[in-house]
Amino acid sequence: MKHPHFLSGMLFALAALACFATLDTSAKVVALTLPVLLGLWFRYIFQAVLTTAVMLPQRGRAIFHTRHLGLHVLRGALLATTSLLTFLSVAYMPVGEFTAIAMIAPLVVTLLAATLLGEHVSRLRWVLVAGGFVGTLVIIRPGGDLFGWHVLLPLAQVATHSAFQILTGRMVKTEDTVTMHFYTGWVGALLASLALPFIWVTPQTLTEWTALTLMGLMGTIGHFVLILAYRRAPAATLMPLMYVQIAFAMFAGWVVFGHIADGWSLLGMILIAGCGAASAWLAVRENRLKLEPMEV
């Protein structure tokens, strides 16, 4: 039976992806004149304060309850590292191309699940994983505008984000999602605060303040709206939609910076989006077949 609110869930998911594209574009604007770590601090202090202000009155002391505080700290550190690598990446490369490379993370998770966790992966999904990696190579191809040392940044981001996703998948089985969101925000804020005395620069222009504010708001609202999406629609419906973020990022990069991807980069993006969406659909289909009773 379909989820009764699956359409609203899809709309919430698309809104979250638009928020994330705006966050990354704002981070690129900030990186033009301000330290990247300052942007990271703004992004997480917004999430930590707003989440606490909204959820603490509703949950009370229960929001702190966990049996795995160490895992929350590790998860928060992984996401903070992922965010830092994201902001560094968009400082050196277009937002659309970075987003496409970052979107191979679900394919990497498939690879890790098979090699480290022993999960079964069909031959067709292996082909799709390979197709996603080919798309990445097309974008960062030798001789292309993006080829250089900085392409290591989004690749490192994919690694930390994949580890974050695997840890999240294990924790959601026993931990409350609001508690996870709460700890993630404060761990990121505290880690970024450690560097604040060394990198603080007071923003001077309206553009800088607007970009920093957008980073904080879009990161917080995006994650909150994504939670609403998963409450209203199953992951099977939402996962293939996640690759729409590439289109949002390309549009934002064009509006703010006037950047248009070349033909090879567009081909790579299409390969990544197509293989990723197909892999997500295939994984859901395989799980559904496992759960269906056999005919006798």
Side-chain angles (χ1 to χ4, degrees):
M1 182 177 66
K2 288 186 177 180
H3 196 287
H5 303 294
F6 77 99
L7 181 58
S8 64
M10 294 171 66
L11 293 176
F12 274 124
L14 291 174
L17 298 177
C19 287
F20 295 147
T22 304
L23 165 63
D24 292 343
T25 305
S26 301
K28 187 173 182 66
V29 173
V30 167
L32 294 175
T33 56
L34 295 172
V36 171
L37 283 173
L38 183 63
L40 185 74
W41 182 79
F42 265 87
R43 179 256 183 272
Y44 277 100
I45 202 67
F46 263 82
Q47 177 177 331
V49 172
L50 287 179
T51 300
T52 303
V54 173
M55 300 310 304
L56 188 58
Q58 298 180 25
R59 294 295 186 94
R61 296 177 61 182
I63 198 172
F64 301 101
H65 177 70
T66 177
R67 293 177 295 174
H68 305 288
L69 181 59
L71 291 180
H72 283 287
V73 173
L74 176 59
R75 181 175 180 271
L78 282 171
L79 186 58
T81 303
T82 298
S83 297
L84 177 60
L85 290 168
T86 295
F87 298 162
L88 289 172
S89 296
V90 297
Y92 288 101
M93 61 192 306
V95 180
E97 282 84 338
F98 159 74
T99 302
I101 295 173
M103 281 294 163
I104 68 169
L107 299 174
V108 173
V109 170
T110 299
L111 179 64
L112 293 176
T115 56
L116 299 181
L117 303 180
E119 295 185 9
H120 172 72
V121 176
S122 66
R123 291 181 179 178
L124 181 54
R125 286 181 67 195
W126 278 116
V127 171
L128 293 172
V129 168
F133 282 110
V134 169
T136 302
L137 293 176
V138 170
I139 294 175
I140 62 176
R141 64 198 179 277
D145 293 337
L146 297 182
F147 189 73
W149 69 267
H150 52 268
V151 299
L152 297 175
L153 294 171
L155 296 178
Q157 191 265 9
V158 168
T160 57
H161 192 204
S162 299
F164 170 80
Q165 287 185 340
I166 290 177
L167 181 59
T168 299
R170 297 174 71 95
M171 291 179 66
V172 292
K173 299 175 182 178
T174 59
E175 298 293 304
D176 180 74
T177 54
V178 173
T179 298
M180 292 172 65
H181 194 56
F182 171 81
Y183 279 115
T184 297
W186 278 111
V187 169
L190 291 174
L191 288 176
S193 296
L194 294 176
L196 204 59
F198 306 100
I199 53 89
W200 177 264
V201 176
T202 302
Q204 300 295 323
T205 67
L206 179 60
T207 298
E208 290 174 346
W209 280 111
T210 300
L212 287 169
T213 302
L214 278 175
M215 287 180 68
L217 287 176
M218 292 299 100
T220 303
I221 294 173
H223 282 285
F224 178 72
V225 172
L226 193 60
I227 290 174
L228 295 179
Y230 278 106
R231 287 180 178 175
R232 286 164 171 76
T237 302
L238 300 181
M239 279 304 297
L241 288 176
M242 296 301 155
Y243 295 87
V244 176
Q245 186 176 342
I246 298 175
F248 284 146
M250 289 178 62
F251 178 74
W254 172 68
V255 170
V256 179
F257 301 104
H259 173 74
I260 299 176
D262 61 27
W264 283 107
S265 294
L266 285 173
L267 175 60
M269 293 177 185
I270 292 171
L271 274 172
I272 293 171
C275 291
S279 180
W281 175 83
L282 193 61
V284 171
R285 180 175 177 272
E286 290 173 353
N287 289 333
R288 188 175 298 164
L289 290 175
K290 292 178 183 177
L291 296 175
E292 288 180 354
M294 295 181 63
E295 293 183 1
V296 294

